[in-house]
Amino acid sequence: MASDSVTVYLKNQTLQLDPDICETYDFPDEADAATNWVWNNNTKTLCQTINGKSAALFCGWDLDNATITGSFQVTDDANDDDWIGFMWGLQDTDHYYLFSWKRATQDFANCGGNLPAGMQVKVVDVADPMNTPQTCADRLQPADTANSKLLVPVGEFTTMGWTEATEYTFELTHKANGEMTIIVRLKANNNVVAMKTFMDTTYANGKFGMYTKSQINACFSNFVASCVP
């Protein structure tokens, strides 16, 4: 008799973002309106329909040494200029990585003051949720805070804001050694809008989810995941 082990690498696994089978979460520290995620099963598109709180939607699948691709856009900004993004390495709603993209610079007092246009990446790691709970500043302030660390500032990513009714694609790779790469492209011509590789070992793996803050009509679609060999 003999025994052996094999590693199976999955490729091109389509990910469903239906709120009926995924988990939705409104961050409780903000006083804005409750949010609402809507899934269109015909187009396989997920949209945020409320200009409300920081909100997340994440499903039961974990990404471990993986690449995920997808599309996102703000279909109609309703004269708004706020955040669209995604979370990964998500252990729970107090421990995760966050990519956020702001359309225009704005003074958001309850989120820590003047917040810049452009893309940034933070790692949120709340050590004491009872005595030092997570705040909007932890998620979006362009600096280290009590519960977060700024991994990639807008000056190292892009200071350009997103454009209404423009579809973008992204590719996120999170390797087991802590190396992460994010590439954002214009879907129409595949031109690179921004690209950044960086290192952090806080979370080796975790769930992936959508993120919006105060942005109506933020939509996500075509999510596919593959393991990194």
Side-chain angles (χ1 to χ4, degrees), residues 63-107:
L63 298 179
D64 188 349
N65 207 38
T67 293
I68 184 167
T69 61
S71 301
F72 64 120
Q73 66 175 314
V74 176
T75 57
D76 179 352
D77 66 359
N79 297 315
D80 206 358
D81 56 5
D82 291 312
W83 290 269
I84 185 171
F86 51 84
M87 308 157 71
W88 74 100
L90 196 151
Q91 314 300 302
D92 54 49
T93 52
D94 278 327
H95 302 89
Y96 55 88
Y97 294 107
L98 173 63
F99 164 88
S100 59
W101 192 4
K102 180 86 165 69
R103 184 180 191 181
T105 299
Q106 188 175 3
D107 185 6

Short mmCIF file of all heavy atoms in Angstrom, two decimals, residues 63-107:
data_model
loop_
_atom_site.label_atom_id
_atom_site.label_comp_id
_atom_site.label_asym_id
_atom_site.label_seq_id
_atom_site.Cartn_x
_atom_site.Cartn_y
_atom_site.Cartn_z
N LEU A 63 -10.24 33.47 -0.02
CA LEU A 63 -9.19 33.52 -1.02
C LEU A 63 -7.86 33.29 -0.32
O LEU A 63 -7.53 33.98 0.64
CB LEU A 63 -9.18 34.87 -1.74
CG LEU A 63 -10.45 35.21 -2.53
CD1 LEU A 63 -10.30 36.58 -3.17
CD2 LEU A 63 -10.72 34.16 -3.59
N ASP A 64 -7.11 32.30 -0.79
CA ASP A 64 -5.84 31.94 -0.19
C ASP A 64 -4.83 31.76 -1.31
O ASP A 64 -4.94 30.84 -2.10
CB ASP A 64 -6.02 30.64 0.62
CG ASP A 64 -4.80 30.29 1.44
OD1 ASP A 64 -3.74 30.91 1.23
OD2 ASP A 64 -4.90 29.39 2.29
N ASN A 65 -3.85 32.67 -1.40
CA ASN A 65 -2.87 32.64 -2.48
C ASN A 65 -3.59 32.65 -3.83
O ASN A 65 -3.51 31.71 -4.62
CB ASN A 65 -1.99 31.39 -2.36
CG ASN A 65 -0.61 31.59 -2.96
OD1 ASN A 65 -0.03 32.66 -2.86
ND2 ASN A 65 -0.09 30.56 -3.60
N ALA A 66 -4.30 33.74 -4.08
CA ALA A 66 -5.24 33.76 -5.20
C ALA A 66 -5.23 35.10 -5.94
O ALA A 66 -4.74 36.12 -5.43
CB ALA A 66 -6.65 33.48 -4.70
N THR A 67 -5.79 35.06 -7.14
CA THR A 67 -6.04 36.25 -7.95
C THR A 67 -7.55 36.36 -8.18
O THR A 67 -8.20 35.36 -8.45
CB THR A 67 -5.33 36.18 -9.30
OG1 THR A 67 -3.91 36.24 -9.09
CG2 THR A 67 -5.72 37.34 -10.21
N ILE A 68 -8.06 37.57 -8.05
CA ILE A 68 -9.48 37.80 -8.34
C ILE A 68 -9.58 38.97 -9.32
O ILE A 68 -8.84 39.95 -9.22
CB ILE A 68 -10.29 38.07 -7.06
CG1 ILE A 68 -11.78 38.21 -7.38
CG2 ILE A 68 -9.78 39.28 -6.29
CD1 ILE A 68 -12.67 38.15 -6.15
N THR A 69 -10.45 38.82 -10.31
CA THR A 69 -10.68 39.88 -11.29
C THR A 69 -12.17 40.22 -11.29
O THR A 69 -13.01 39.41 -10.91
CB THR A 69 -10.26 39.44 -12.70
OG1 THR A 69 -11.03 38.30 -13.09
CG2 THR A 69 -8.78 39.10 -12.75
N GLY A 70 -12.48 41.42 -11.75
CA GLY A 70 -13.87 41.84 -11.81
C GLY A 70 -14.01 43.20 -12.45
O GLY A 70 -13.02 43.81 -12.89
N SER A 71 -15.26 43.67 -12.53
CA SER A 71 -15.56 44.98 -13.10
C SER A 71 -16.31 45.82 -12.08
O SER A 71 -17.05 45.28 -11.26
CB SER A 71 -16.44 44.83 -14.35
OG SER A 71 -15.79 44.04 -15.33
N PHE A 72 -16.11 47.13 -12.12
CA PHE A 72 -16.85 48.02 -11.24
C PHE A 72 -16.99 49.39 -11.88
O PHE A 72 -16.19 49.79 -12.72
CB PHE A 72 -16.22 48.10 -9.85
CG PHE A 72 -14.84 48.69 -9.79
CD1 PHE A 72 -14.59 49.83 -9.05
CD2 PHE A 72 -13.76 48.10 -10.44
CE1 PHE A 72 -13.31 50.38 -8.96
CE2 PHE A 72 -12.48 48.63 -10.36
CZ PHE A 72 -12.26 49.78 -9.62
N GLN A 73 -18.04 50.09 -11.48
CA GLN A 73 -18.31 51.42 -12.00
C GLN A 73 -19.38 52.10 -11.17
O GLN A 73 -20.08 51.44 -10.39
CB GLN A 73 -18.78 51.35 -13.46
CG GLN A 73 -20.13 50.67 -13.64
CD GLN A 73 -20.62 50.73 -15.08
OE1 GLN A 73 -20.58 51.78 -15.73
NE2 GLN A 73 -21.08 49.60 -15.60
N VAL A 74 -19.50 53.41 -11.33
CA VAL A 74 -20.64 54.16 -10.81
C VAL A 74 -21.48 54.51 -12.02
O VAL A 74 -21.06 55.31 -12.86
CB VAL A 74 -20.21 55.42 -10.04
CG1 VAL A 74 -21.42 56.22 -9.59
CG2 VAL A 74 -19.36 55.02 -8.83
N THR A 75 -22.64 53.89 -12.14
CA THR A 75 -23.43 54.01 -13.37
C THR A 75 -24.02 55.40 -13.55
O THR A 75 -24.15 55.89 -14.67
CB THR A 75 -24.55 52.96 -13.39
OG1 THR A 75 -25.37 53.13 -12.22
CG2 THR A 75 -23.97 51.56 -13.40
N ASP A 76 -24.43 56.02 -12.45
CA ASP A 76 -24.98 57.38 -12.47
C ASP A 76 -24.64 57.97 -11.11
O ASP A 76 -25.11 57.50 -10.08
CB ASP A 76 -26.49 57.34 -12.68
CG ASP A 76 -27.12 58.74 -12.67
OD1 ASP A 76 -26.42 59.72 -12.36
OD2 ASP A 76 -28.32 58.85 -12.97
N ASP A 77 -23.81 59.01 -11.09
CA ASP A 77 -23.29 59.48 -9.81
C ASP A 77 -24.27 60.33 -9.01
O ASP A 77 -24.04 60.61 -7.83
CB ASP A 77 -21.99 60.26 -10.01
CG ASP A 77 -22.16 61.55 -10.79
OD1 ASP A 77 -23.29 61.86 -11.21
OD2 ASP A 77 -21.16 62.26 -10.98
N ALA A 78 -25.38 60.76 -9.61
CA ALA A 78 -26.38 61.58 -8.92
C ALA A 78 -25.69 62.77 -8.24
O ALA A 78 -26.01 63.15 -7.11
CB ALA A 78 -27.16 60.75 -7.91
N ASN A 79 -24.73 63.37 -8.95
CA ASN A 79 -23.96 64.51 -8.45
C ASN A 79 -23.19 64.17 -7.17
O ASN A 79 -22.99 65.02 -6.30
CB ASN A 79 -24.87 65.71 -8.21
CG ASN A 79 -25.52 66.20 -9.48
OD1 ASN A 79 -24.87 66.34 -10.51
ND2 ASN A 79 -26.83 66.45 -9.43
N ASP A 80 -22.73 62.94 -7.08
CA ASP A 80 -21.98 62.51 -5.91
C ASP A 80 -20.53 62.23 -6.31
O ASP A 80 -20.21 62.08 -7.49
CB ASP A 80 -22.63 61.27 -5.31
CG ASP A 80 -22.36 61.13 -3.83
OD1 ASP A 80 -21.62 61.98 -3.29
OD2 ASP A 80 -22.85 60.18 -3.22
N ASP A 81 -19.64 62.13 -5.31
CA ASP A 81 -18.21 62.04 -5.62
C ASP A 81 -17.45 61.26 -4.55
O ASP A 81 -16.35 61.62 -4.16
CB ASP A 81 -17.60 63.44 -5.76
CG ASP A 81 -17.81 64.30 -4.52
OD1 ASP A 81 -18.34 63.80 -3.51
OD2 ASP A 81 -17.43 65.49 -4.56
N ASP A 82 -18.04 60.16 -4.09
CA ASP A 82 -17.47 59.50 -2.91
C ASP A 82 -16.73 58.21 -3.25
O ASP A 82 -16.05 58.15 -4.25
CB ASP A 82 -18.57 59.32 -1.86
CG ASP A 82 -18.98 60.67 -1.29
OD1 ASP A 82 -18.08 61.45 -0.91
OD2 ASP A 82 -20.18 60.96 -1.24
N TRP A 83 -16.87 57.15 -2.43
CA TRP A 83 -15.96 56.01 -2.48
C TRP A 83 -16.60 54.75 -3.05
O TRP A 83 -17.73 54.41 -2.75
CB TRP A 83 -15.44 55.67 -1.09
CG TRP A 83 -14.50 56.66 -0.50
CD1 TRP A 83 -13.13 56.68 -0.59
CD2 TRP A 83 -14.84 57.78 0.33
NE1 TRP A 83 -12.61 57.72 0.12
CE2 TRP A 83 -13.64 58.43 0.70
CE3 TRP A 83 -16.06 58.31 0.79
CZ2 TRP A 83 -13.62 59.55 1.50
CZ3 TRP A 83 -16.03 59.43 1.59
CH2 TRP A 83 -14.82 60.05 1.93
N ILE A 84 -15.78 54.05 -3.82
CA ILE A 84 -16.10 52.71 -4.28
C ILE A 84 -14.83 51.88 -4.10
O ILE A 84 -13.71 52.41 -4.20
CB ILE A 84 -16.56 52.73 -5.75
CG1 ILE A 84 -17.02 51.34 -6.21
CG2 ILE A 84 -15.50 53.29 -6.67
CD1 ILE A 84 -17.70 51.35 -7.58
N GLY A 85 -14.97 50.60 -3.75
CA GLY A 85 -13.76 49.82 -3.53
C GLY A 85 -14.05 48.37 -3.19
O GLY A 85 -15.15 47.86 -3.45
N PHE A 86 -13.07 47.71 -2.60
CA PHE A 86 -13.25 46.32 -2.20
C PHE A 86 -12.35 45.99 -1.01
O PHE A 86 -11.39 46.71 -0.70
CB PHE A 86 -12.98 45.36 -3.38
CG PHE A 86 -11.68 45.59 -4.11
CD1 PHE A 86 -10.49 45.04 -3.65
CD2 PHE A 86 -11.65 46.33 -5.28
CE1 PHE A 86 -9.31 45.23 -4.32
CE2 PHE A 86 -10.46 46.53 -5.97
CZ PHE A 86 -9.28 45.97 -5.49
N MET A 87 -12.70 44.90 -0.33
CA MET A 87 -11.99 44.42 0.85
C MET A 87 -11.50 43.01 0.58
O MET A 87 -12.15 42.25 -0.15
CB MET A 87 -12.94 44.42 2.05
CG MET A 87 -13.66 45.74 2.26
SD MET A 87 -15.21 45.55 3.20
CE MET A 87 -14.57 45.19 4.83
N TRP A 88 -10.39 42.64 1.18
CA TRP A 88 -9.90 41.26 1.06
C TRP A 88 -9.07 40.91 2.30
O TRP A 88 -8.84 41.76 3.16
CB TRP A 88 -9.10 41.08 -0.23
CG TRP A 88 -7.73 41.69 -0.24
CD1 TRP A 88 -6.53 41.04 -0.05
CD2 TRP A 88 -7.40 43.06 -0.48
NE1 TRP A 88 -5.50 41.92 -0.15
CE2 TRP A 88 -6.00 43.17 -0.41
CE3 TRP A 88 -8.15 44.21 -0.74
CZ2 TRP A 88 -5.32 44.38 -0.60
CZ3 TRP A 88 -7.50 45.42 -0.92
CH2 TRP A 88 -6.11 45.51 -0.85
N GLY A 89 -8.65 39.65 2.40
CA GLY A 89 -7.99 39.21 3.62
C GLY A 89 -8.91 39.37 4.82
O GLY A 89 -8.45 39.44 5.96
N LEU A 90 -10.19 39.38 4.57
CA LEU A 90 -11.17 39.74 5.59
C LEU A 90 -11.36 38.57 6.58
O LEU A 90 -11.83 37.51 6.21
CB LEU A 90 -12.49 40.11 4.91
CG LEU A 90 -13.54 40.86 5.72
CD1 LEU A 90 -14.39 41.72 4.80
CD2 LEU A 90 -14.46 39.91 6.48
N GLN A 91 -10.96 38.83 7.84
CA GLN A 91 -11.18 37.87 8.91
C GLN A 91 -12.55 38.08 9.53
O GLN A 91 -13.28 37.14 9.83
CB GLN A 91 -10.10 38.02 9.98
CG GLN A 91 -8.69 38.13 9.44
CD GLN A 91 -8.25 36.93 8.63
OE1 GLN A 91 -8.25 35.81 9.14
NE2 GLN A 91 -7.88 37.16 7.37
N ASP A 92 -12.88 39.34 9.73
CA ASP A 92 -14.19 39.80 10.21
C ASP A 92 -14.23 41.30 9.92
O ASP A 92 -13.30 41.84 9.31
CB ASP A 92 -14.39 39.49 11.71
CG ASP A 92 -13.26 40.02 12.58
OD1 ASP A 92 -12.91 41.22 12.43
OD2 ASP A 92 -12.73 39.26 13.41
N THR A 93 -15.27 41.98 10.35
CA THR A 93 -15.44 43.39 9.97
C THR A 93 -14.55 44.34 10.77
O THR A 93 -14.65 45.56 10.60
CB THR A 93 -16.91 43.80 10.11
OG1 THR A 93 -17.38 43.43 11.42
CG2 THR A 93 -17.76 43.11 9.05
N ASP A 94 -13.66 43.82 11.59
CA ASP A 94 -12.64 44.63 12.27
C ASP A 94 -11.22 44.30 11.81
O ASP A 94 -10.26 44.90 12.30
CB ASP A 94 -12.72 44.45 13.79
CG ASP A 94 -13.80 45.31 14.43
OD1 ASP A 94 -14.04 46.43 13.93
OD2 ASP A 94 -14.40 44.87 15.43
N HIS A 95 -11.10 43.37 10.86
CA HIS A 95 -9.77 42.92 10.44
C HIS A 95 -9.79 42.60 8.95
O HIS A 95 -10.35 41.57 8.54
CB HIS A 95 -9.34 41.69 11.24
CG HIS A 95 -9.32 41.92 12.72
ND1 HIS A 95 -10.43 41.71 13.52
CD2 HIS A 95 -8.34 42.39 13.53
CE1 HIS A 95 -10.13 42.02 14.77
NE2 HIS A 95 -8.87 42.43 14.80
N TYR A 96 -9.16 43.47 8.13
CA TYR A 96 -9.23 43.30 6.68
C TYR A 96 -8.31 44.32 5.99
O TYR A 96 -7.82 45.27 6.61
CB TYR A 96 -10.67 43.52 6.18
CG TYR A 96 -11.27 44.84 6.59
CD1 TYR A 96 -11.11 45.99 5.81
CD2 TYR A 96 -11.98 44.97 7.78
CE1 TYR A 96 -11.65 47.20 6.19
CE2 TYR A 96 -12.53 46.18 8.17
CZ TYR A 96 -12.35 47.30 7.37
OH TYR A 96 -12.87 48.51 7.76
N TYR A 97 -8.10 44.11 4.69
CA TYR A 97 -7.49 45.10 3.81
C TYR A 97 -8.60 45.84 3.07
O TYR A 97 -9.64 45.25 2.75
CB TYR A 97 -6.57 44.43 2.78
CG TYR A 97 -5.35 43.76 3.37
CD1 TYR A 97 -5.27 42.37 3.44
CD2 TYR A 97 -4.28 44.51 3.84
CE1 TYR A 97 -4.15 41.74 3.97
CE2 TYR A 97 -3.15 43.88 4.38
CZ TYR A 97 -3.11 42.51 4.44
OH TYR A 97 -2.01 41.89 4.97
N LEU A 98 -8.35 47.13 2.78
CA LEU A 98 -9.35 47.93 2.07
C LEU A 98 -8.70 48.76 0.97
O LEU A 98 -7.79 49.55 1.22
CB LEU A 98 -10.06 48.87 3.06
CG LEU A 98 -11.02 49.90 2.44
CD1 LEU A 98 -12.19 49.22 1.74
CD2 LEU A 98 -11.54 50.86 3.52
N PHE A 99 -9.17 48.55 -0.25
CA PHE A 99 -8.87 49.42 -1.39
C PHE A 99 -10.05 50.36 -1.56
O PHE A 99 -11.19 49.91 -1.70
CB PHE A 99 -8.68 48.59 -2.66
CG PHE A 99 -8.74 49.39 -3.94
CD1 PHE A 99 -7.60 49.98 -4.46
CD2 PHE A 99 -9.94 49.55 -4.62
CE1 PHE A 99 -7.66 50.72 -5.64
CE2 PHE A 99 -10.02 50.28 -5.81
CZ PHE A 99 -8.87 50.87 -6.32
N SER A 100 -9.79 51.68 -1.54
CA SER A 100 -10.86 52.65 -1.73
C SER A 100 -10.46 53.65 -2.81
O SER A 100 -9.28 54.00 -2.95
CB SER A 100 -11.20 53.38 -0.42
OG SER A 100 -10.06 54.07 0.08
N TRP A 101 -11.47 54.11 -3.57
CA TRP A 101 -11.24 55.05 -4.68
C TRP A 101 -12.24 56.19 -4.55
O TRP A 101 -13.45 55.97 -4.68
CB TRP A 101 -11.39 54.33 -6.01
CG TRP A 101 -10.90 55.10 -7.20
CD1 TRP A 101 -10.28 56.32 -7.21
CD2 TRP A 101 -10.97 54.70 -8.58
NE1 TRP A 101 -9.96 56.70 -8.49
CE2 TRP A 101 -10.37 55.73 -9.34
CE3 TRP A 101 -11.49 53.57 -9.21
CZ2 TRP A 101 -10.29 55.65 -10.73
CZ3 TRP A 101 -11.40 53.50 -10.60
CH2 TRP A 101 -10.81 54.52 -11.35
N LYS A 102 -11.72 57.39 -4.31
CA LYS A 102 -12.55 58.59 -4.12
C LYS A 102 -12.54 59.41 -5.39
O LYS A 102 -11.49 59.60 -6.02
CB LYS A 102 -11.99 59.42 -2.95
CG LYS A 102 -12.76 60.70 -2.62
CD LYS A 102 -13.90 60.44 -1.69
CE LYS A 102 -14.45 61.73 -1.05
NZ LYS A 102 -15.14 62.60 -2.00
N ARG A 103 -13.72 59.93 -5.75
CA ARG A 103 -13.79 60.71 -6.99
C ARG A 103 -13.16 62.09 -6.84
O ARG A 103 -12.46 62.56 -7.74
CB ARG A 103 -15.24 60.87 -7.44
CG ARG A 103 -15.35 61.58 -8.78
CD ARG A 103 -16.78 61.73 -9.23
NE ARG A 103 -16.86 62.19 -10.60
CZ ARG A 103 -17.98 62.43 -11.25
NH1 ARG A 103 -19.14 62.24 -10.65
NH2 ARG A 103 -17.97 62.83 -12.51
N ALA A 104 -13.42 62.79 -5.73
CA ALA A 104 -12.95 64.17 -5.56
C ALA A 104 -12.53 64.41 -4.12
O ALA A 104 -13.08 63.82 -3.19
CB ALA A 104 -14.03 65.16 -5.97
N THR A 105 -11.58 65.30 -3.92
CA THR A 105 -11.15 65.70 -2.59
C THR A 105 -12.31 66.36 -1.85
O THR A 105 -13.09 67.11 -2.44
CB THR A 105 -9.97 66.67 -2.68
OG1 THR A 105 -8.88 66.01 -3.34
CG2 THR A 105 -9.52 67.15 -1.32
N GLN A 106 -12.42 66.06 -0.57
CA GLN A 106 -13.57 66.55 0.20
C GLN A 106 -13.24 66.60 1.68
O GLN A 106 -12.48 65.77 2.18
CB GLN A 106 -14.77 65.62 -0.04
CG GLN A 106 -16.08 66.09 0.53
CD GLN A 106 -17.22 65.17 0.15
OE1 GLN A 106 -17.02 64.14 -0.49
NE2 GLN A 106 -18.43 65.53 0.53
N ASP A 107 -13.82 67.58 2.38
CA ASP A 107 -13.66 67.68 3.82
C ASP A 107 -14.76 66.86 4.48
O ASP A 107 -15.92 67.25 4.47
CB ASP A 107 -13.73 69.14 4.27
CG ASP A 107 -13.45 69.30 5.76
OD1 ASP A 107 -13.08 68.30 6.40
OD2 ASP A 107 -13.60 70.41 6.28
#
